[in-house]
Amino acid sequence: MDRYRIDSHKLFYHVSRVKDWLDGKLIYPIYAEIAATGQCNQRCTFCALDYMGYENKSQDKDVLLKRLSEMAKLGLKSVMYAGEGEPLIHKQIGDIVVGTKKAGIDVAITTNGVNLHKALAEQILGYTTWIKTSINAGTKETYAKIHRASPSAFERVLKNLSYAVELKKREGYSCTLGAQMVLLEENASEPAILARRAKDIGLDYLVIKPFSQHPMSHGRRYEDLRYGGYYDMEREVKKYEDKNFKIIFRGYTMKKLDENGRYYDRCQALPFWVYIDAGGNVWGCSAYLGDERFLYGNIYENTFEEIWTGERRRKSLEMVAKSLDTTSCRKNCRLDEINRYLWDLKNPTEHVNFI
């Protein structure tokens, strides 16, 4: 069982917020994804946001924390630092993580792990709910090809994670430490190798997930990749599971991708989340970064409340509700499972009373 519900969603734990949404009330997001910086120290072959250009932009720590303090009071529960750049490149990411948690917001990080050095781990681990590291190979040679990085970076990442595990145990921290592999043709023979390494290090889990083509991405190498031939792989990698180490094989997501179907025709999930890019722009959807129809405002120009209640967001939501064709959206987008849940709430099937 995936107790982290990575292959599902957790919106049903926020009943009061969903009830307010159903009643037509203004709600603020539960979750935010924030790019600390636009820069990245790798150029992964599958990068979805390559079209953003890896720009030399970074969040101003003081402004960001001021906005996050405001957002916490408005109802924001969590932040994941990830986005179009590598978050740990930001020179003040440690202070940002600590400040975010002190504002009352749960913190998570998705990273390539290269910069998760000892000093940073010691600063942030006690303030972080989870850290998920992207490791898309089981060997340094394949890692170098996919991450387009030095082969030595592979062992450096594993060394960094080993120390993080040691630190977590020594200090009694609750931070969940995991790894993630995007399953590609180049690494399809290596999930079991990575699973063994991840388990030996002492990580809490390894996710094996499919690639999903971003509509605006420059890279098209994996556009036609299908996963029907990989479903049996789950049994092989699950052999490494035990009570302390879990394999989350996202077979359900793979099947949805291969089936290529959405039964909802409108996106309804946008009020529950928000994306803030490295330049402070506030977006309704990460699949449409750069599309002005989804741009709500900028945190350096307005408060978050002004942005969230502003005319640009109102018009954007109106456009999404009336004319956005979800067949043009990214397949298996981050909000897909939430959209399925919300659609079912508003469009119940027959016999719903027979629980």
Side-chain angles (χ1 to χ4, degrees), residues 174-196:
S174 60
C175 179
T176 301
L177 297 169
Q180 174 175 280
M181 171 190 273
V182 177
L183 187 59
L184 306 168
E185 293 170 337
E186 296 97 317
N187 63 19
S189 64
E190 298 185 7
I193 301 173
L194 181 58
R196 184 170 62 250

Short mmCIF file of all heavy atoms in Angstrom, two decimals, residues 174-196:
data_model
loop_
_atom_site.label_atom_id
_atom_site.label_comp_id
_atom_site.label_asym_id
_atom_site.label_seq_id
_atom_site.Cartn_x
_atom_site.Cartn_y
_atom_site.Cartn_z
N SER A 174 11.75 13.60 11.66
CA SER A 174 10.65 12.84 11.03
C SER A 174 10.65 12.98 9.51
O SER A 174 9.79 12.40 8.84
CB SER A 174 9.31 13.32 11.57
OG SER A 174 9.10 14.70 11.30
N CYS A 175 11.56 13.75 8.95
CA CYS A 175 11.59 14.01 7.50
C CYS A 175 11.66 12.70 6.71
O CYS A 175 12.55 11.87 6.93
CB CYS A 175 12.79 14.88 7.15
SG CYS A 175 12.95 15.25 5.39
N THR A 176 10.72 12.51 5.81
CA THR A 176 10.71 11.33 4.93
C THR A 176 11.67 11.56 3.78
O THR A 176 11.60 12.60 3.10
CB THR A 176 9.30 11.07 4.40
OG1 THR A 176 8.41 10.86 5.50
CG2 THR A 176 9.28 9.85 3.49
N LEU A 177 12.56 10.60 3.55
CA LEU A 177 13.58 10.72 2.51
C LEU A 177 13.32 9.67 1.43
O LEU A 177 13.34 8.47 1.71
CB LEU A 177 14.97 10.53 3.10
CG LEU A 177 15.39 11.58 4.15
CD1 LEU A 177 16.66 11.16 4.85
CD2 LEU A 177 15.57 12.95 3.50
N GLY A 178 13.07 10.13 0.22
CA GLY A 178 12.77 9.20 -0.87
C GLY A 178 13.51 9.56 -2.14
O GLY A 178 14.16 10.60 -2.25
N ALA A 179 13.39 8.66 -3.11
CA ALA A 179 13.98 8.88 -4.43
C ALA A 179 12.92 8.60 -5.49
O ALA A 179 11.91 7.92 -5.22
CB ALA A 179 15.19 7.98 -4.64
N GLN A 180 13.17 9.11 -6.68
CA GLN A 180 12.22 8.95 -7.77
C GLN A 180 12.95 8.69 -9.07
O GLN A 180 13.96 9.34 -9.36
CB GLN A 180 11.38 10.22 -7.90
CG GLN A 180 10.43 10.24 -9.09
CD GLN A 180 9.56 11.48 -9.07
OE1 GLN A 180 8.57 11.55 -8.36
NE2 GLN A 180 9.94 12.49 -9.84
N MET A 181 12.45 7.73 -9.84
CA MET A 181 12.99 7.44 -11.16
C MET A 181 11.88 7.58 -12.19
O MET A 181 10.82 6.96 -12.06
CB MET A 181 13.56 6.02 -11.23
CG MET A 181 13.95 5.58 -12.65
SD MET A 181 14.36 3.81 -12.78
CE MET A 181 16.10 3.86 -12.36
N VAL A 182 12.11 8.41 -13.20
CA VAL A 182 11.23 8.46 -14.36
C VAL A 182 11.64 7.31 -15.28
O VAL A 182 12.79 7.24 -15.71
CB VAL A 182 11.33 9.81 -15.10
CG1 VAL A 182 10.44 9.81 -16.34
CG2 VAL A 182 10.92 10.95 -14.17
N LEU A 183 10.70 6.41 -15.55
CA LEU A 183 11.03 5.21 -16.32
C LEU A 183 11.10 5.54 -17.81
O LEU A 183 10.13 5.98 -18.43
CB LEU A 183 9.95 4.14 -16.07
CG LEU A 183 10.21 2.75 -16.66
CD1 LEU A 183 11.52 2.17 -16.12
CD2 LEU A 183 9.04 1.82 -16.35
N LEU A 184 12.30 5.32 -18.37
CA LEU A 184 12.58 5.62 -19.77
C LEU A 184 13.20 4.40 -20.44
O LEU A 184 13.60 3.45 -19.76
CB LEU A 184 13.55 6.81 -19.87
CG LEU A 184 13.16 8.09 -19.12
CD1 LEU A 184 14.34 9.05 -19.07
CD2 LEU A 184 11.95 8.74 -19.77
N GLU A 185 13.31 4.45 -21.74
CA GLU A 185 13.92 3.32 -22.45
C GLU A 185 15.38 3.11 -22.01
O GLU A 185 15.84 1.98 -21.87
CB GLU A 185 13.87 3.57 -23.96
CG GLU A 185 12.44 3.56 -24.52
CD GLU A 185 12.38 4.05 -25.95
OE1 GLU A 185 13.30 4.79 -26.36
OE2 GLU A 185 11.40 3.72 -26.65
N GLU A 186 16.09 4.21 -21.74
CA GLU A 186 17.50 4.11 -21.39
C GLU A 186 17.74 3.47 -20.03
O GLU A 186 18.79 2.88 -19.80
CB GLU A 186 18.16 5.50 -21.39
CG GLU A 186 18.18 6.18 -22.74
CD GLU A 186 17.02 7.15 -22.90
OE1 GLU A 186 15.89 6.80 -22.51
OE2 GLU A 186 17.25 8.26 -23.41
N ASN A 187 16.80 3.63 -19.10
CA ASN A 187 17.02 3.11 -17.74
C ASN A 187 16.11 1.95 -17.39
O ASN A 187 16.04 1.54 -16.22
CB ASN A 187 16.86 4.23 -16.70
CG ASN A 187 15.46 4.81 -16.68
OD1 ASN A 187 14.50 4.21 -17.15
ND2 ASN A 187 15.32 6.00 -16.11
N ALA A 188 15.42 1.38 -18.37
CA ALA A 188 14.40 0.37 -18.10
C ALA A 188 14.96 -0.92 -17.49
O ALA A 188 14.22 -1.70 -16.89
CB ALA A 188 13.63 0.04 -19.38
N SER A 189 16.26 -1.13 -17.61
CA SER A 189 16.88 -2.33 -17.02
C SER A 189 17.46 -2.05 -15.63
O SER A 189 18.05 -2.95 -15.02
CB SER A 189 17.99 -2.85 -17.94
OG SER A 189 19.04 -1.90 -18.04
N GLU A 190 17.25 -0.83 -15.10
CA GLU A 190 17.95 -0.46 -13.88
C GLU A 190 17.10 -0.13 -12.65
O GLU A 190 17.67 0.19 -11.60
CB GLU A 190 18.89 0.72 -14.18
CG GLU A 190 19.96 0.37 -15.21
CD GLU A 190 20.96 1.48 -15.44
OE1 GLU A 190 20.93 2.49 -14.71
OE2 GLU A 190 21.80 1.33 -16.35
N PRO A 191 15.76 -0.19 -12.69
CA PRO A 191 15.00 0.11 -11.47
C PRO A 191 15.36 -0.78 -10.29
O PRO A 191 15.45 -0.30 -9.15
CB PRO A 191 13.54 -0.11 -11.91
CG PRO A 191 13.54 0.23 -13.35
CD PRO A 191 14.85 -0.29 -13.86
N ALA A 192 15.59 -2.06 -10.53
CA ALA A 192 15.95 -2.96 -9.43
C ALA A 192 17.32 -2.61 -8.85
O ALA A 192 17.54 -2.71 -7.64
CB ALA A 192 15.93 -4.41 -9.91
N ILE A 193 18.24 -2.17 -9.71
CA ILE A 193 19.56 -1.77 -9.24
C ILE A 193 19.44 -0.56 -8.33
O ILE A 193 20.04 -0.51 -7.24
CB ILE A 193 20.49 -1.45 -10.43
CG1 ILE A 193 20.64 -2.67 -11.35
CG2 ILE A 193 21.86 -0.99 -9.93
CD1 ILE A 193 21.40 -2.37 -12.63
N LEU A 194 18.64 0.42 -8.76
CA LEU A 194 18.45 1.62 -7.94
C LEU A 194 17.70 1.28 -6.66
O LEU A 194 18.01 1.83 -5.60
CB LEU A 194 17.69 2.68 -8.73
CG LEU A 194 17.44 4.00 -7.99
CD1 LEU A 194 18.76 4.64 -7.54
CD2 LEU A 194 16.64 4.97 -8.84
N ALA A 195 16.73 0.38 -6.75
CA ALA A 195 15.97 -0.02 -5.55
C ALA A 195 16.90 -0.60 -4.50
O ALA A 195 16.78 -0.29 -3.30
CB ALA A 195 14.89 -1.02 -5.93
N ARG A 196 17.84 -1.42 -4.93
CA ARG A 196 18.79 -2.03 -3.98
C ARG A 196 19.68 -0.96 -3.35
O ARG A 196 19.91 -0.97 -2.14
CB ARG A 196 19.63 -3.08 -4.70
CG ARG A 196 20.58 -3.84 -3.78
CD ARG A 196 21.23 -5.02 -4.47
NE ARG A 196 22.06 -4.61 -5.60
CZ ARG A 196 21.75 -4.85 -6.88
NH1 ARG A 196 20.64 -5.48 -7.18
NH2 ARG A 196 22.56 -4.46 -7.86
#
